[in-house]
Amino acid sequence: MQIQTTKAIITGGASGLGEATARVLRAAGAEITLLDRDATRGPLVASEIGGHFVETDVTDEQSVATAIEKASGAMSGLNACINCAGIATGEKTVGRNGAHALDSFQRTININLVGSFNVLRLAAAQMANNTPNEDGERGVIVNTASIAAFDGQKGQAAYGASKAGIAGLTLPVARDLSSIGVRIMAIAPGIFLTPMLEGLGQDIIDGLSADVTFPKRLGKPSEFARLAQFIIESPYLNGEVIRIDGALRMQ
Ligand SMILES: NC(=O)c1ccc[n+]([C@@H]2O[C@H](COP(=O)([O-])OP(=O)(O)OC[C@H]3O[C@@H](n4cnc5c(N)ncnc54)[C@H](O)[C@@H]3O)[C@@H](O)[C@H]2O)c1
């Protein structure tokens, strides 16, 4: 799909990887609607880039259905869905205070995994109405997993499971959506310098950077965004998870 004809919703677009993707795709000529629960930064970013914003909770069926309707109306269509909304959580299975809280496990799965599926299923249903392009394509979905899906660390049972779920749904969803000409890919980022990490302090960031094989630094959100753009533009990419991590393998 050409970026100039791309009409994309980006969840989590008010911050970090989603925001960077919105900026890069918009600069390349795409129409963008940000879906985020952050009603302060969301409209700000949208107006800076000349895009749209709909306050959305990705875990809520009605909220997402309304957002997709509004976004499709504002952009006169919808053919790309980039899911970046997510939370980072850390808690050991058995820690100082006993067993992992069940509600924090469920909340992580609900936002990161169920939320992404909620958005992609409704977006794909909307895309099914599109006229296919010369490749027979009606749309493309890009989810955000994490290298924690494969080498999750201590304290990442919930987060790693939520991201492994994103990786696990990629192929079956690609098969499900093949009949309507919608592709799906997932990006598994290593450690990227976003607001999720910026608060950690330089010492910790230097420590994390030292573990990266090459280049020895954290990922730039614009590098994630360029990969998302490449996926949108590459019709033969489907049903796969791509790591972008400087060859980092977490201990
Ligand atoms: N930063 C990293 O190093 C890194 C690494 C691997 C994976 N990821 C994943 O990338 C995604 C983006 O991370 P980021 O670093 O940009 O984080 P971020 O905190 O900067 O941005 C996340 C955005 O998601 C939004 N959001 C959270 N819950 C939501 C909900 N229920 N409904 C709607 N919006 C919601 C937040 O408001 C925020 O704008 C996440 O899924 C994260 O797990 C990040």
Side-chain angles (χ1 to χ4, degrees), residues 11-18 35-38 56-59 84-88 111-112 144-147 159 163 189-197:
T11 74
S15 176
L17 302 182
L35 272 51
D36 204 295
R37 66 180 178 188
D38 186 339
T56 312
D57 178 350
V58 296
T59 65
C84 292
I87 55 167
I111 294 177
N112 293 357
T144 307
S146 162
I147 61 170
Y159 185 74
K163 296 303 186 176
I191 308 174
F192 277 64
L193 197 53
T194 67
M196 248 185 202
L197 282 119

Side-chain angles (χ1 to χ4, degrees), residues 22-33:
R23 290 182 185 280
V24 165
L25 294 182
R26 181 70 185 135
E31 289 224 49
I32 302 293
T33 303

Side-chain angles (χ1 to χ4, degrees), residues 46-197:
S47 81
E48 270 179 37
I49 65 172
H52 313 279
F53 169 75
V54 187
E55 185 178 351
T56 312
D57 178 350
V58 296
T59 65
D60 185 290
E61 276 198 87
Q62 194 50 54
S63 172
V64 173
T66 304
I68 286 177
E69 198 185 318
K70 284 187 181 167
S72 306
M75 300 188 290
S76 306
L78 173 71
N79 55 18
C81 165
I82 296 135
N83 278 313
C84 292
I87 55 167
T89 53
E91 190 174 341
K92 282 194 183 171
T93 307
V94 177
R96 255 182 248 128
N97 301 322
H100 196 302
L102 195 57
D103 64 349
S104 61
F105 188 91
Q106 285 169 331
R107 182 166 172 268
T108 307
I109 300 287
N110 199 35
I111 294 177
N112 293 357
L113 176 57
V114 180
S116 298
F117 186 71
N118 187 28
V119 176
L120 79 85
R121 77 193 172 98
L122 295 172
Q126 177 70 31
M127 291 173 191
N129 303 315
N130 293 346
T131 305
N133 69 11
E134 60 282 3
D135 279 313
E137 190 173 84
R138 288 187 171 84
V140 56
I141 294 157
V142 182
N143 278 337
T144 307
S146 162
I147 61 170
F150 312 108
D151 28 274
Q153 296 183 294
K154 275 184 188 166
Q156 289 194 315
Y159 185 74
S162 72
K163 296 303 186 176
I166 294 286
L169 65 74
T170 308
L171 183 60
V173 170
R175 289 175 167 158
D176 285 347
L177 300 183
S178 60
S179 56
I180 57 168
V182 174
R183 294 184 291 123
I184 177 169
M185 290 288 292
I187 300 176
I191 308 174
F192 277 64
L193 197 53
T194 67
M196 248 185 202
L197 282 119

